[in-house]
Amino acid sequence: MKLNRRRFLGTATLATAALSAPAVLGQTRPRVVVIGGGSGGGTVARYIAKDSNGAVDVTLIEPTRRYYTCYFSNLYLGGFWDYDALGHGYGTIARTGVNVIHDWAVGVDRDVKTVALASGDSVSYDRLVVAPGIDFVEGSVPGWNVSQQSLMPHAYKSGTQVQLLKHQIETMREGGLFVMVAPPNPYRCPPGPGERVSMVAHMLTQSNPTAKILIVDPKENYSKQALFEEGWERHYPGMVTRIGPDMGGDDFEVRPESMEVVIDGEVEQADVCNVIPAQKAGRIAELAGLTNDSGWAPVMPADMRSRVDENVFVLGDASAQGDMPKSGFSANSQAKVVANVIRGELTGSRIFPARYSNTCWSLIATDDGVKVGANYEPTDEKIASVSSFISQTGEDADLRRQTYEESIGWYNGIVADIFG
Amino acid sequence: MKPRLVLTFCLGLALIPMEALSQASPIGDATTGAEVYRRECASCHQIGEGAVHRIGPHLNRIFDRGAGSHSDFRYSDALLRQGRDGLKWDLRRLDAYIENPRALVSGTRMSYRGLKDAQRRADLIAYLRVYSDQPQNIPEASPTAVIREVDLPESVLAIEGDVEYGEFLSSECTTCHQRTGSDAGIPGIVGWPEEDFVVAMHAYKQKLRPHAVMQSVAARLDDEEIAALAAYFHALARE
């Protein structure tokens, strides 16, 4: 057992509890390995450990020691949220009884059911949960690759990239041009680019009011479009221009060295350029052979089980499940379904039918919050949206302020649910 | 004993003792205030004969009572501190608190956004005063003294919730509502009386309460599931 040194976290509390529940598979304790400690992986690890009272051996593999949420990173850009408040450690998850291993998962052998780590170790599992989030599709933004992320940041995985983007905007020349290259569908956080533009506009209105924002967007339309456009007109008149596919927004190239953006053959000189490339499942999902031609990992709607391996589940952004948006809320919701199913299969506890839901809040300006959400149910084919709601244009300021305050409550709620 | 005589005439005509109403009239209109109370307060607070603490403390004899002074109700630390510092619910303070609870007592557990309209506040306070001025005159056994937000069949209220199922269902709630009972930005729901929980969820389900997320959540919960959640959250003690 190579992992002894790393197993110091959480073992003390498990010693007695392990005796209390029978292991269905006839071994000492059934093993669950979770790859990725974000909203999906962190939740599923914690819930299985918490609810099984130590009857299941849960290992979480996550390279970083501190997780910075993507959600609310736009609010940090806009000056509404502290950077440090985006970061969360794994102490509580470990104290719940999860073995937290800070390492990269570099391969999965699904025949012998082991996960290989960058350190050379390997961990075996009875059930594997793959929740690696996103990676970028190489070549999807002509002229850009990930080695140029310091010149043209993506800032779409939170952390230092968002700090860099904020610094670039803050030090932009007076009257400069901020360009955002928006991603094609499907991508993480559908209202994310619109919220980011709002937050950048908020910051520029205060510090650099003659600056302009240009969005290059290959999509016909995007999430909460009417709400964002109404808000930009009201709060930041004349600052934001969007070039959609009808005006050549699907025909572009960037030149990071010269900070040029070529749209439909015309060259724009950018001062700051935020490139958000096309996306696919995190690389380990592909290495594990769980993805298809779309780049995402198809799953069964009823329980997020991989369509290619009954012992593997794929959660959150990396999964292709149907109608749920790729969001932290969705991943958290899916994780609870998976935790209930895995615990049931391994310990004989009750398995209940899946319930999925999502709400996405966005901030447009000070105290001007909006939201969109839906309930989802599994059908044979996909996870399908069954009912939805969205903030309306023209809502009064009081309601928008409440919606913003609610979003802060949600943030504190979900990070407490996962990490707190 | 004169007021009691007057009262016998009024029984059956109105929920509110009439002579108390006339005394309260300088503040606002208590009859209108009763309707404001039903809309704004009744889902958490009881008032009148037989009123007990629910999500919030009962409001009988609230006038001139010290803040946080019911020893059998669990207040926020913030409200208890204010009470120790001498906050009393006089007309002015009640008005300020109802207008914006967090402005007067930041850190209060009362999840209420406040009532902006000064006239409606005045009417509401006039109504509250009815039950403070001469509480001995509140008609006994008045079936409508304690107002329930939605009318539910007793069979629905009698369902015994499946706590284990409630625990599973609760995972949908705890994305926003913290298990610790914290209520920063989003109300705490831990430790609620089961009936209040059931009534609140049915009020969302029937769209009597306006919140879009909660209407959406409640829409697909059946009576058994609501009871399961109520049982689970009631059993979950506040940390």
Side-chain angles (χ1 to χ4, degrees), chain A residues 47 50-51 329 332-333 336-337 340 349-350 352-357 359 361 371 374-377 386-387 389 398 401-402 405-406 408-410 412-414 416-417, chain B residues 102 113-114 116 162-180 184-186 211-222 225 232:
Chain A
Y47 268 70
K50 168 175 81 69
D51 294 339
F329 195 126
N332 176 264
S333 171
K336 289 160 177 176
V337 170
N340 179 252
S349 62
R350 285 163 76 187
F352 298 105
R355 304 179 81 91
Y356 301 109
S357 58
T359 302
W361 287 265
K371 62 187 169 190
N375 286 326
Y376 301 88
E377 277 172 13
V386 288
S387 66
F389 58 87
D398 219 33
R401 182 179 50 75
Q402 277 176 45
E405 287 170 0
E406 183 181 289
I408 295 171
W410 164 75
N412 293 327
I414 191 170
D417 196 35
Chain B
R102 291 207 169 91
R113 67 196 143 79
K116 287 242 155 42
D162 174 345
V163 176
E164 206 179 337
Y165 189 30
E167 181 176 19
F168 171 69
L169 294 172
S170 78
S171 65
E172 184 176 359
C173 314
T174 54
T175 302
C176 298
H177 299 279
Q178 298 189 37
R179 280 181 206 279
T180 58
I186 285 182
H211 196 272
V213 179
M214 286 309 304
Q215 285 182 357
S216 166
V217 168
R220 64 169 170 178
L221 292 171
D222 64 26
E225 289 167 339
Y232 173 72

Side-chain angles (χ1 to χ4, degrees), chain A residues 36-44 67 69-71 90 131 315-316 327-333 335-336 410 414-415 417-419:
Chain A
S39 297
T43 304
V44 79
Y67 178 78
T69 62
C70 257
Y71 35 99
Y90 290 92
L315 275 184
S327 73
F329 195 126
S330 291
N332 176 264
S333 171
K336 289 160 177 176
W410 164 75
I414 191 170
V415 297
D417 196 35
I418 305 166
F419 301 103

